[in-house]
Amino acid sequence: MDFLAKPEHRSPRSAKVLVDEMFTESRLQSARDRFTAIVQNIPSIAALLTTPQTGPRHCEGPFVADHIVRVFAAIDAIANGDSMRDCEDIANDPILSLALLDAEEAIRDFPDVFRAFAVMHNIAKPDRLLLVAEPQSVGEKEGFVRSNRRVDEYSTSSELHRYDKMRRAHGGDGAAWFAASGIIATYDDADRAVIAPQYADARVAIIRHFGLEYAYEKFISELCWSHDDIEEFFITPGNESEFGVFAARAGKAGLNVGKFLDALLAIALLDHDMGRIGLIRPIPLFVFRAFAFAEHATMPERFAAREARQTHARKLRIKSILGDSGLAPEAIFALFKTPIGPERGVVMEHAYEVIRGESKGEVFVEHADYIRECAARAQKLLAAEGLTV
């Protein structure tokens, strides 16, 4: 029995189309309401509602809060059963498909961990915002210059006010505003600054808001520390060996390495790909793909473990479908009074041939009609889930 046979049907839609379909207005509004409730509970993060973000990395809205809202919506979509595993540009690649299975499972099992991450990894951005302009752009003419030509390390309140007036006057956000102004929002070491003492109260408040155990503060803080590296380590082809750094960090911090790496896969998907509308992504799920391939190159045993789990899960599901269809081996052996031994394997192979349409089941003589009826039911159930025997 070929338990590893690939499904014959695939969704004709691409990952990009499937992702776009997940962001319904009702889901986005629910995510906005969720973030509003968090701000009411933790006033110190209200600055995220007015902290600018820009292209080329963030065109999902003018403020950091818009990015968090989009990540919340992505979490809700996956937690409610949406998946990209069957889309045409993922399903036929076992490395991506099985990595996506683990990422989506982590999100469904612990959605509030990823919601807490979405907020926590941004809390230092208001303090480390620097608005800089590309050379010879409108923004440069308005005085938004590189740090080596500045007195202040980060953008001042007057600069923020001037920037906001420019943005409002332009009447646009996202890609159009970025193209018109040439201004880029940068945040220095904001991901790693999250662990600083000045953000201790905010970290604890976020953990408390989501009802997580206190130990998650360390786990999520370590995820924040690795956030940018998820993308930046693998921008250069051939740098896959850097993936080992993540396992080493988790081990040094005393964390469960497997759960930490699964969480990073989920973050690559949620935050870097689904949670952003960027201008520099050549293909959908670009960061997740690079991260998953680096993992496979550096720690192939994780792929092997996923493959083994998937094989086992398929075997169990096929066994269940055969039972629901009246073709459980025990029932067939009882019907034909088949003794223990190699004959049982022969009998079941004849039944599989009927399911596959390779035989009419004449070998079952007076029970052939019954076997054909059961096989027809099994065919439909197996086909619906892309399984074969």
Side-chain angles (χ1 to χ4, degrees), residues 24-48:
T24 62
E25 183 50 40
S26 63
R27 185 167 277 154
L28 286 167
Q29 186 56 53
S30 177
R32 292 184 197 104
D33 294 342
R34 186 187 294 277
F35 187 70
T36 298
I38 297 169
V39 171
Q40 290 172 347
N41 191 32
I42 314 173
S44 63
I45 66 171
L48 298 174

Short mmCIF file of all heavy atoms in Angstrom, two decimals, residues 24-48:
data_model
loop_
_atom_site.label_atom_id
_atom_site.label_comp_id
_atom_site.label_asym_id
_atom_site.label_seq_id
_atom_site.Cartn_x
_atom_site.Cartn_y
_atom_site.Cartn_z
N THR A 24 -9.94 39.32 5.02
CA THR A 24 -11.26 39.90 4.81
C THR A 24 -11.40 41.14 5.68
O THR A 24 -10.71 41.29 6.70
CB THR A 24 -12.36 38.91 5.18
OG1 THR A 24 -12.25 38.60 6.58
CG2 THR A 24 -12.23 37.62 4.37
N GLU A 25 -12.29 42.04 5.31
CA GLU A 25 -12.48 43.26 6.10
C GLU A 25 -12.98 42.93 7.50
O GLU A 25 -12.58 43.57 8.48
CB GLU A 25 -13.46 44.20 5.39
CG GLU A 25 -13.67 45.53 6.12
CD GLU A 25 -12.37 46.23 6.49
OE1 GLU A 25 -11.43 46.23 5.67
OE2 GLU A 25 -12.30 46.80 7.61
N SER A 26 -13.84 41.93 7.62
CA SER A 26 -14.34 41.57 8.95
C SER A 26 -13.22 41.03 9.83
O SER A 26 -13.18 41.33 11.04
CB SER A 26 -15.47 40.55 8.83
OG SER A 26 -15.01 39.34 8.25
N ARG A 27 -12.32 40.28 9.24
CA ARG A 27 -11.20 39.74 10.02
C ARG A 27 -10.24 40.86 10.42
O ARG A 27 -9.73 40.88 11.55
CB ARG A 27 -10.49 38.67 9.19
CG ARG A 27 -9.38 37.94 9.94
CD ARG A 27 -8.97 36.70 9.17
NE ARG A 27 -9.85 35.57 9.44
CZ ARG A 27 -10.06 34.56 8.61
NH1 ARG A 27 -9.45 34.53 7.43
NH2 ARG A 27 -10.87 33.57 8.94
N LEU A 28 -9.99 41.79 9.52
CA LEU A 28 -9.13 42.92 9.84
C LEU A 28 -9.76 43.81 10.92
O LEU A 28 -9.07 44.29 11.81
CB LEU A 28 -8.84 43.74 8.58
CG LEU A 28 -7.87 43.10 7.59
CD1 LEU A 28 -7.91 43.83 6.25
CD2 LEU A 28 -6.44 43.11 8.14
N GLN A 29 -11.07 44.01 10.84
CA GLN A 29 -11.73 44.82 11.86
C GLN A 29 -11.67 44.15 13.22
O GLN A 29 -11.46 44.81 14.25
CB GLN A 29 -13.20 45.08 11.47
CG GLN A 29 -13.91 46.05 12.40
CD GLN A 29 -13.19 47.39 12.52
OE1 GLN A 29 -12.89 48.03 11.51
NE2 GLN A 29 -12.90 47.81 13.75
N SER A 30 -11.85 42.84 13.23
CA SER A 30 -11.73 42.10 14.49
C SER A 30 -10.33 42.26 15.07
O SER A 30 -10.16 42.42 16.29
CB SER A 30 -12.04 40.62 14.25
OG SER A 30 -11.86 39.87 15.44
N ALA A 31 -9.32 42.25 14.20
CA ALA A 31 -7.93 42.43 14.65
C ALA A 31 -7.72 43.84 15.18
O ALA A 31 -7.01 44.04 16.18
CB ALA A 31 -6.98 42.13 13.49
N ARG A 32 -8.32 44.84 14.53
CA ARG A 32 -8.21 46.22 15.03
C ARG A 32 -8.84 46.34 16.42
O ARG A 32 -8.28 46.99 17.31
CB ARG A 32 -8.91 47.19 14.06
CG ARG A 32 -8.22 47.34 12.71
CD ARG A 32 -8.92 48.40 11.86
NE ARG A 32 -8.54 48.25 10.47
CZ ARG A 32 -9.31 47.73 9.51
NH1 ARG A 32 -10.55 47.32 9.81
NH2 ARG A 32 -8.89 47.61 8.27
N ASP A 33 -9.99 45.71 16.58
CA ASP A 33 -10.67 45.75 17.88
C ASP A 33 -9.81 45.08 18.95
O ASP A 33 -9.75 45.55 20.09
CB ASP A 33 -12.02 45.06 17.79
CG ASP A 33 -13.01 45.80 16.89
OD1 ASP A 33 -12.78 47.00 16.62
OD2 ASP A 33 -14.00 45.17 16.46
N ARG A 34 -9.16 44.01 18.57
CA ARG A 34 -8.29 43.30 19.52
C ARG A 34 -7.13 44.21 19.95
O ARG A 34 -6.81 44.28 21.13
CB ARG A 34 -7.75 42.02 18.89
CG ARG A 34 -6.94 41.15 19.86
CD ARG A 34 -6.30 39.98 19.12
NE ARG A 34 -7.27 39.05 18.61
CZ ARG A 34 -7.83 38.07 19.32
NH1 ARG A 34 -7.50 37.93 20.60
NH2 ARG A 34 -8.70 37.25 18.77
N PHE A 35 -6.52 44.90 18.98
CA PHE A 35 -5.41 45.77 19.34
C PHE A 35 -5.88 46.95 20.18
O PHE A 35 -5.19 47.37 21.13
CB PHE A 35 -4.68 46.26 18.09
CG PHE A 35 -3.43 47.03 18.40
CD1 PHE A 35 -2.32 46.37 18.91
CD2 PHE A 35 -3.36 48.40 18.24
CE1 PHE A 35 -1.15 47.07 19.23
CE2 PHE A 35 -2.21 49.11 18.55
CZ PHE A 35 -1.11 48.43 19.06
N THR A 36 -7.04 47.50 19.88
CA THR A 36 -7.60 48.59 20.68
C THR A 36 -7.76 48.17 22.14
O THR A 36 -7.44 48.93 23.06
CB THR A 36 -8.96 49.04 20.11
OG1 THR A 36 -8.78 49.53 18.78
CG2 THR A 36 -9.58 50.13 20.97
N ALA A 37 -8.24 46.94 22.33
CA ALA A 37 -8.42 46.43 23.69
C ALA A 37 -7.08 46.31 24.42
O ALA A 37 -6.98 46.57 25.62
CB ALA A 37 -9.13 45.08 23.65
N ILE A 38 -6.05 45.92 23.68
CA ILE A 38 -4.71 45.80 24.29
C ILE A 38 -4.19 47.17 24.72
O ILE A 38 -3.65 47.34 25.81
CB ILE A 38 -3.73 45.14 23.31
CG1 ILE A 38 -4.18 43.71 22.98
CG2 ILE A 38 -2.31 45.10 23.89
CD1 ILE A 38 -3.42 43.08 21.84
N VAL A 39 -4.37 48.17 23.86
CA VAL A 39 -3.91 49.53 24.18
C VAL A 39 -4.63 50.06 25.41
O VAL A 39 -4.03 50.71 26.28
CB VAL A 39 -4.12 50.47 22.97
CG1 VAL A 39 -3.86 51.92 23.37
CG2 VAL A 39 -3.20 50.06 21.83
N GLN A 40 -5.93 49.78 25.51
CA GLN A 40 -6.68 50.22 26.68
C GLN A 40 -6.16 49.58 27.96
O GLN A 40 -6.17 50.19 29.03
CB GLN A 40 -8.17 49.90 26.48
CG GLN A 40 -8.82 50.75 25.41
CD GLN A 40 -10.23 50.31 25.09
OE1 GLN A 40 -10.67 49.22 25.47
NE2 GLN A 40 -10.97 51.15 24.36
N ASN A 41 -5.70 48.34 27.82
CA ASN A 41 -5.19 47.60 28.98
C ASN A 41 -3.73 47.94 29.28
O ASN A 41 -3.30 47.88 30.44
CB ASN A 41 -5.34 46.10 28.72
CG ASN A 41 -5.09 45.27 29.96
OD1 ASN A 41 -5.37 45.69 31.08
ND2 ASN A 41 -4.55 44.07 29.78
N ILE A 42 -2.96 48.29 28.23
CA ILE A 42 -1.52 48.60 28.38
C ILE A 42 -1.26 49.94 27.70
O ILE A 42 -0.80 50.00 26.55
CB ILE A 42 -0.64 47.49 27.75
CG1 ILE A 42 -1.13 46.10 28.16
CG2 ILE A 42 0.82 47.68 28.16
CD1 ILE A 42 -0.41 44.96 27.45
N PRO A 43 -1.55 51.05 28.36
CA PRO A 43 -1.42 52.37 27.73
C PRO A 43 -0.03 52.68 27.19
O PRO A 43 0.12 53.48 26.26
CB PRO A 43 -1.79 53.33 28.87
CG PRO A 43 -2.67 52.53 29.78
CD PRO A 43 -2.11 51.13 29.73
N SER A 44 1.01 52.04 27.74
CA SER A 44 2.37 52.35 27.30
C SER A 44 2.63 51.99 25.85
O SER A 44 3.59 52.48 25.25
CB SER A 44 3.38 51.64 28.20
OG SER A 44 3.26 50.22 28.10
N ILE A 45 1.81 51.12 25.27
CA ILE A 45 2.04 50.76 23.87
C ILE A 45 1.20 51.58 22.91
O ILE A 45 1.21 51.33 21.70
CB ILE A 45 1.80 49.26 23.62
CG1 ILE A 45 0.33 48.89 23.81
CG2 ILE A 45 2.70 48.41 24.52
CD1 ILE A 45 0.00 47.49 23.37
N ALA A 46 0.48 52.57 23.42
CA ALA A 46 -0.35 53.40 22.55
C ALA A 46 0.47 54.13 21.49
O ALA A 46 -0.05 54.47 20.42
CB ALA A 46 -1.13 54.41 23.39
N ALA A 47 1.76 54.36 21.76
CA ALA A 47 2.61 55.06 20.79
C ALA A 47 2.72 54.30 19.48
O ALA A 47 3.03 54.91 18.44
CB ALA A 47 4.00 55.27 21.38
N LEU A 48 2.44 53.01 19.49
CA LEU A 48 2.51 52.22 18.26
C LEU A 48 1.43 52.65 17.27
O LEU A 48 1.54 52.38 16.07
CB LEU A 48 2.38 50.73 18.57
CG LEU A 48 3.49 50.15 19.45
CD1 LEU A 48 3.18 48.69 19.81
CD2 LEU A 48 4.85 50.24 18.75
#
